[in-house]
Amino acid sequence: MSGVAIYRSIYTEDQFAQRFNRSKGEENVTESFQQIARRSCACSGNAGKRFWRKRLPFLTWLPRYKVKRWLIGDIIAGLTVGIIHIPQGMSFALLTSVAPIYGLYTSFFPVVLYMLFGTGRHVSTGTFAGISLMTGSVVERLVPHQVGWNVTNQEDPELEKQRISVASAVTFLSGLMMICMFVLQLGFLSTYLSDPIVKAFTSGTAFHVIISQLNTMLGLRLPRFTGPFTLFKTLASLLGALSMTNIVELIISLICLSVLIPMKEINSRFRQKFRTPIPIEIIMLIVATAITFATSLDERCNVQIVGHIPAGFPSPQLPALGSIPNLVGDTVAITFVGYAVSVSLAMIYADKHRYKIDPNQELLAHGISNTISSLFTCFPSSASLATSNILESAGSHTQLAGFFTCLVVLAVLLLIGPLFYFLPKAVLACINITSLRQMFLQFQDLPELWRVSRMDFMVWVVTWLAVITLNADLGLAVGVVFSMMTVIYRIQRADCSMLGRASNTEIYRPVEENSMCHEIPGLKILAYNAPIYYGNKNFFRDAMTRLIGLTQEKIKTRAKAKKELEKINKMTVATVENGLPRTAYSPDTSPAGDQQEGIQSVVIDCSSIIFIDTAGARLFVQMCVECQKADLWVYLAECNKDVLKVLTCSGLLEHLRPEQIFVTVHDAVVYLEQVKEASSQKGTTIWV
């Protein structure tokens, strides 16, 4: 075993700052507000280019595009995802309670805009099941479904118009929220939706999607419920109406599932061998439409069909802005979920392919996508788990793949769309259900999550149960609150450890966890592994007093003994250090005779105290004062600059001298050992 020997002086914080010029930049003259504003607003040619390249990422990647290496992969991946977008967009429109054509619009406009403004090279935007389900709940609440009516039937165009106006208003407001978050640089807020929360939320919404689609698969015309306990209300309604099941639509659903599920499994297992997955969804659409048209199932068996799909683009129009006050709460949840899922996917593929994304630019990209798309009757969009996975596995290299995706959707919008008039809605419902395969596979992560962090496991379970029992938006709120509570709990219940030194080393570890680390006689080394703030300051006090045995009785006893000793001596001893008079009171020599046999000094390792507020600082100073009253001399080690600043402003140096604040724990321990050794050898008091 090789060893390392380091010889250096003992450093307090002041000595280290003087020696290594720690505050090097403080001699610079502070800039005035006008100077800062002038410098920030100054614009040069290079600064302008950097700004536009940052805000329009295609100006960076498009000029550097490697045609020979990337074009074929982008074409294949883009066309493949475009084919998937057609059935997925139409089926997810049913979740949003709007006509299928609006799902095709949502699969086109956001993709074009994200290609220009987004930084994720392997992200496929468009319709997403969780977002569509949450938006559909808002639509149903404001424009309730009428039992027995087909929402795409031309007999009720006013109801259809109201529904898409509300969905577009949600899209518009969500886009504005994202743009405002971008202006305020709030991209970091997505981190509050942790990975367990996002996975539990998507898994929970998958169950809601399945239950909501059973209505269409069985050919029932039942109202769609909103609010808490939606899943159970829907199940009760379905069980009560089972006798009215349309047998033909049930057969269509069973046949579709029996084909789609095995083919999805084949595409997944042989993903490495197939350059592109088998487009079973679009094949199913074509076959089902042809059979329904040939047999007139819509007239003979009352099978629900998609109906008229207009060709071309919609005319720009403002959404229902008057309904925005009723949408704010729901839209906040939709915005955070959409952004969190999109950024999470972008970061996963960015790490895999070794490039960086800009979370704040992603806010701008999705904000612009939703805001402009809302003018073309689109419902909220985000990155899609399934299509992003297909895009990456099919060989996509850049955002240009989105252009070829748009070409496929454009062809359907302009030419092919009206041909799906006779498409059974039951087929779209089956496509919805089978598209959730990845969300159900997330249950496989639970055993590993249990082994890694049981607290995160609890966050996952609580979020999932809340989404299932309450609703998507309420469940998400419960998950976020519970996750924050676990963080607060961990901070409040943080351990205060007693450190010991490994023999012949400068390494200090908790003695209860390391049998080969031993405490130093007469010295207690404490480490508090959390910030100290108003919420946990009492826990810190209790833990510290318990470890060093500091009680009010002991403080009073020591104070009384100290007064008696002072009366006996009746004299004041002074020493001069650096030309300043100091009271000749040794921090390492206790006036009480029995103190020499017990604890004489306490070293607090502050390396894990990342911040401290004013309430925590006042308590910290109070604890130092109480320790001194009990003749326990306190030394600090490894304080970061911010913590030391707050403690100093709270009056710490009125009770502790700068010589009692050390750079490392080992500096403090070696200093105390040297003082103790010198005192015992010379039999005199050592002045600090």
Side-chain angles (χ1 to χ4, degrees):
M1 181 183 297
S2 60
V4 177
I6 301 176
Y7 300 95
R8 64 171 176 82
S9 303
I10 298 173
Y11 289 114
T12 64
E13 286 287 347
D14 278 358
Q15 291 169 343
F16 186 85
Q18 293 172 6
R19 175 72 182 273
F20 296 99
N21 197 17
R22 185 174 179 178
S23 55
K24 182 178 180 180
E26 293 181 358
E27 69 272 7
N28 295 335
V29 179
T30 304
E31 288 183 295
S32 65
F33 177 79
Q34 291 82 0
Q35 290 173 323
I36 295 174
R38 191 180 300 113
R39 177 171 50 82
S40 301
C41 297
C43 183
S44 63
N46 292 331
K49 290 180 180 178
R50 286 194 300 269
F51 173 81
W52 288 112
R53 286 176 179 173
K54 189 174 183 179
R55 298 296 164 240
L56 299 173
F58 74 92
L59 296 178
T60 299
W61 60 262
L62 191 57
R64 303 175 183 175
Y65 193 84
K66 301 177 181 178
V67 177
K68 294 183 178 179
R69 292 179 54 186
W70 295 346
L71 185 58
I72 297 299
D74 283 343
I75 291 176
I76 294 175
L79 296 178
T80 303
V81 172
I83 293 173
I84 301 297
H85 264 308
I86 297 167
Q88 180 174 290
M90 297 173 69
S91 58
F92 284 174
L94 297 184
L95 291 177
T96 318
S97 294
V98 296
I101 183 62
Y102 300 114
L104 294 179
Y105 296 155
T106 308
S107 300
F108 178 79
F109 291 102
V111 178
V112 174
L113 294 166
Y114 184 83
M115 179 186 68
L116 300 176
F117 295 96
T119 58
R121 303 177 189 174
H122 301 85
V123 174
S124 173
T125 57
T127 56
F128 178 57
I131 300 297
S132 298
L133 184 69
M134 296 174 71
T135 307
S137 298
V138 180
V139 173
E140 289 291 341
R141 177 167 56 83
L142 297 181
V143 188
H145 179 74
Q146 299 180 18
V147 180
W149 284 74
N150 185 342
V151 297
T152 61
N153 197 318
Q154 294 300 308
E155 296 177 2
D156 193 15
E158 185 61 31
L159 180 65
E160 180 181 334
K161 183 179 179 181
Q162 292 176 9
R163 286 173 173 271
I164 190 58
S165 295
V166 171
S168 298
V170 174
T171 310
F172 181 78
L173 184 57
S174 177
L176 285 184
M177 286 182 179
M178 289 188 183
I179 293 175
C180 291
M181 291 169 65
F182 162 75
V183 173
L184 298 175
Q185 298 290 286
L186 298 180
F188 67 90
L189 290 180
S190 65
T191 57
Y192 288 99
L193 293 180
S194 63
D195 192 55
I197 291 178
V198 173
K199 288 186 176 181
F201 171 80
T202 53
S203 298
T205 53
F207 280 88
H208 281 277
V209 171
I210 290 177
I211 299 301
S212 67
Q213 295 306 289
L214 291 178
N215 184 2
T216 305
M217 292 173 63
L218 297 176
L220 302 174
R221 292 170 174 81
L222 301 176
R224 181 169 172 178
F225 297 96
T226 60
F229 311 108
T230 298
L231 188 142
F232 304 105
K233 294 176 184 177
T234 305
L235 279 177
S237 178
L238 285 170
L239 292 175
L242 280 179
S243 59
M244 296 183 290
T245 299
N246 188 319
I247 301 300
V248 176
E249 290 193 89
L250 175 61
I251 294 173
I252 292 174
S253 301
L254 293 176
I255 293 174
C256 289
L257 291 177
S258 65
V259 174
L260 288 171
I261 293 176
M263 293 305 298
K264 286 274 190 178
E265 192 65 25
I266 291 174
N267 282 336
S268 176
R269 292 195 176 187
F270 297 96
R271 183 173 54 186
Q272 302 298 330
K273 295 184 179 180
F274 296 159
R275 181 66 187 270
T276 60
I278 300 172
I280 185 61
E281 292 91 347
I282 195 68
I283 294 174
M284 185 66 65
L285 292 185
I286 296 172
V287 172
T289 302
I291 293 176
T292 305
F293 172 73
T295 57
S296 301
L297 290 178
D298 58 319
E299 297 178 356
R300 295 171 56 187
C301 302
N302 199 24
V303 172
Q304 297 182 73
I305 59 174
V306 168
H308 176 63
I309 298 179
F313 287 106
S315 301
Q317 60 183 18
L318 286 174
L321 300 180
S323 61
I324 285 182
N326 300 321
L327 305 174
V328 175
D330 299 284
T331 307
V332 169
I334 291 172
T335 301
F336 272 90
V337 171
Y339 176 63
V341 170
S342 301
V343 171
S344 298
L345 278 176
M347 286 184 173
I348 289 172
Y349 291 118
D351 292 340
K352 182 177 180 180
H353 294 275
R354 298 181 181 179
Y355 63 89
K356 293 182 179 180
I357 67 162
D358 183 354
N360 286 305
Q361 179 64 24
E362 289 294 294
L363 271 176
L364 179 64
H366 290 287
I368 292 177
S369 296
N370 280 291
T371 303
I372 296 179
S373 298
S374 68
L375 304 178
F376 295 93
T377 59
C378 295
F379 51 86
S381 64
S382 72
S384 171
L385 297 172
T387 54
S388 294
N389 186 33
I390 294 172
L391 186 72
E392 190 264 344
S393 61
S396 171
H397 295 284
T398 66
Q399 294 93 317
L400 189 63
F403 172 75
F404 300 103
T405 297
C406 293
L407 290 181
V408 177
V409 180
L410 181 64
V412 175
L413 286 173
L414 297 180
L415 303 172
I416 307 175
L419 300 179
F420 290 112
Y421 181 94
F422 291 96
L423 174 64
K425 286 188 176 181
V427 177
L428 294 179
C430 293
I431 292 174
N432 263 336
I433 291 176
T434 55
S435 68
L436 305 173
R437 177 181 179 275
Q438 275 188 311
M439 297 185 184
F440 287 109
L441 290 178
Q442 292 178 135
F443 284 95
Q444 298 177 353
D445 300 334
L446 288 180
E448 182 181 358
L449 190 61
W450 173 263
R451 290 191 299 268
V452 174
S453 173
R454 295 187 179 182
M455 194 67 75
D456 286 343
F457 178 87
M458 289 299 299
V459 171
W460 199 104
V461 172
V462 169
T463 304
W464 186 83
L465 289 176
V467 171
I468 290 293
T469 56
L470 298 177
N471 208 348
D473 49 357
L474 290 177
L476 178 66
V478 170
V480 172
V481 171
F482 183 77
S483 178
M484 297 297 292
M485 289 175 61
T486 61
V487 174
I488 295 173
Y489 175 82
R490 294 180 196 183
I491 295 176
Q492 283 190 326
R493 301 288 180 174
D495 294 331
C496 188
S497 306
M498 189 80 71
L499 303 185
R501 181 170 61 188
S503 301
N504 300 320
T505 70
E506 79 292 349
I507 300 173
Y508 298 84
R509 291 291 184 270
V511 293
E512 61 271 15
E513 300 175 3
N514 300 271
S515 59
M516 300 302 294
C517 293
H518 306 286
E519 293 186 53
I520 301 170
L523 175 63
K524 291 289 186 180
I525 307 174
L526 306 181
Y528 191 68
N529 303 312
I532 302 175
Y533 69 111
Y534 68 94
N536 71 344
K537 60 185 181 70
N538 292 330
F539 292 101
F540 167 73
R541 180 190 59 198
D542 296 341
M544 184 174 174
T545 54
R546 174 176 51 83
L547 289 176
I548 63 178
L550 184 66
T551 61
Q552 292 299 322
E553 291 77 11
K554 183 176 292 187
I555 294 174
K556 292 178 181 179
T557 301
R558 296 285 168 78
K560 185 177 180 180
K562 182 178 178 181
K563 289 181 180 179
E564 292 177 356
L565 186 61
E566 289 177 349
K567 289 180 181 179
I568 294 174
N569 292 333
K570 290 184 179 180
M571 61 182 301
T572 302
V573 183
T575 186
V576 177
E577 179 180 352
N578 297 329
L580 296 175
R582 289 188 179 270
T583 302
Y585 190 81
S586 170
D588 302 290
T589 305
S590 171
D594 60 343
Q595 178 67 11
Q596 298 293 339
E597 301 175 0
I599 306 172
Q600 301 173 10
S601 303
V602 177
V603 176
I604 302 179
D605 180 5
C606 302
S607 59
S608 297
I609 304 176
I610 57 176
F611 74 87
I612 186 170
D613 67 358
T614 54
R618 283 196 297 267
L619 179 71
F620 194 95
V621 174
Q622 180 184 347
M623 292 298 299
C624 293
V625 173
E626 291 182 354
C627 286
Q628 288 185 348
K629 288 180 180 179
D631 289 335
L632 299 177
W633 295 93
V634 178
Y635 297 84
L636 307 185
E638 299 191 44
C639 283
N640 68 54
K641 183 177 66 174
D642 295 331
V643 170
L644 192 56
K645 179 181 178 181
V646 175
L647 289 174
T648 302
C649 294
S650 300
L652 178 70
L653 295 184
E654 295 176 6
H655 307 282
L656 264 67
R657 293 182 295 178
E659 292 83 355
Q660 292 174 257
I661 305 174
F662 289 87
V663 174
T664 68
V665 172
H666 194 57
D667 283 276
V669 172
V670 172
Y671 167 77
L672 292 172
E673 287 180 334
Q674 289 179 356
V675 169
K676 183 177 180 180
E677 182 180 358
S679 178
S680 61
Q681 288 179 356
K682 298 181 180 180
T684 58
T685 301
I686 303 298
W687 311 115
V688 181

